[in-house]
Amino acid sequence: MTTLLDPALIGPALSQPETVLGALDFAGVAVFAATGALAAAREKHDFVTFAFFAAVTGVGGGTLRDLLIDAPVFWVQDWRYIAVCLAGALAVWLVGAGAWRFRALLWLDAVGLGAYGVLGAAKAEAFGAPPLICIVMGALTACFGGIVRDLLAGQPSILLRREITVSAAILAATVYVLARASGLDHWPAAAIAAPAGFALRAGALVRGWSLPAFPGGLVRKG
């Protein structure tokens, strides 16, 4: 049987940047915060909106995860997460305009999907969730902030796009859960799973991969 992390230890494990999962946690927040700020940049908003978009996108998925698994909401316990979001917003603001912004958003999103797919699964595992729920929590952690970002920016939600996005987070979470079930420690499992999720999303960006669409549809008569 896979040994669960002690929930009493999950705070230090995920809030210290020098640990692997901690590094993924802060990196995921930073990356998603940057995508939120980039979405605000596309609409030419002011810096307050930049910061709001960055914070909502950066911590949105993790907030939903913590509420669902009955864990203390991570950014309320550690001010550094909001500081990272504000730093990401400031970085995007200072870099300024450029045609590269949309592509940057896509690639940063790809990094975040892999990292946060693993983080969500790892934290759910630490609080005793069964494997399938760990995978669901990984997907929610990685995708919910982006969904809120797109809604705020008036863009089509990632859930309504046929391109591979949510599937990349599911893959990262699934690989992590399977690696843990096979006996790997958290760090090697994360080192395999996060790149797997990123690679799937990268393939979608570079080669146009997508999942098969439903072959039929409703046909109206008359």
Side-chain angles (χ1 to χ4, degrees):
M1 180 180 294
T2 301
T3 302
L4 297 175
L5 280 172
D6 181 353
L9 302 177
I10 196 67
L14 291 179
S15 64
Q16 298 300 323
E18 60 270 18
T19 68
V20 175
L21 289 182
L24 279 177
D25 200 18
F26 279 93
V29 169
V31 164
F32 278 129
T35 69
L38 285 167
R42 292 180 65 187
E43 303 300 321
K44 300 182 179 180
H45 287 297
D46 58 38
F47 183 74
V48 172
T49 307
F50 266 61
F52 180 73
F53 270 48
V56 168
T57 310
V59 304
T63 300
L64 178 62
R65 173 204 64 215
D66 287 351
L67 292 173
L68 290 175
I69 65 175
D70 197 25
V73 177
F74 69 108
W75 59 269
V76 176
Q77 307 296 316
D78 191 339
W79 61 269
R80 291 178 296 174
Y81 288 101
I82 295 300
V84 166
C85 292
L86 296 178
L90 181 61
V92 173
W93 179 274
L94 293 177
V95 168
W100 54 269
R101 286 184 311 199
F102 180 64
R103 295 297 296 178
L105 188 154
L106 292 177
W107 283 101
L108 287 173
D109 212 38
V111 173
L113 286 171
Y116 250 31
V118 170
L119 253 299
K123 190 163 186 180
E125 178 196 17
F127 279 81
L132 180 58
I133 301 305
C134 290
I135 294 171
V136 171
M137 289 300 129
L140 286 177
T141 304
C143 298
F144 186 71
I147 292 170
V148 175
R149 174 199 66 211
D150 292 343
L151 290 174
L152 290 173
Q155 300 296 321
S157 169
I158 59 175
L159 293 177
L160 302 180
R161 304 172 192 165
R162 279 198 54 211
E163 61 187 274
I164 291 174
T165 48
V166 179
S167 302
I170 293 173
L171 176 63
T174 301
V175 171
Y176 176 81
V177 169
L178 292 176
R180 291 284 297 128
S182 71
L184 286 182
D185 198 1
H186 304 283
W187 321 138
I192 295 170
F198 171 77
L200 181 60
R201 177 59 178 147
L205 292 175
V206 174
R207 298 184 177 275
W209 294 345
S210 63
L211 296 178
F214 180 63
L218 295 176
V219 179
R220 294 183 180 180
K221 296 183 179 180

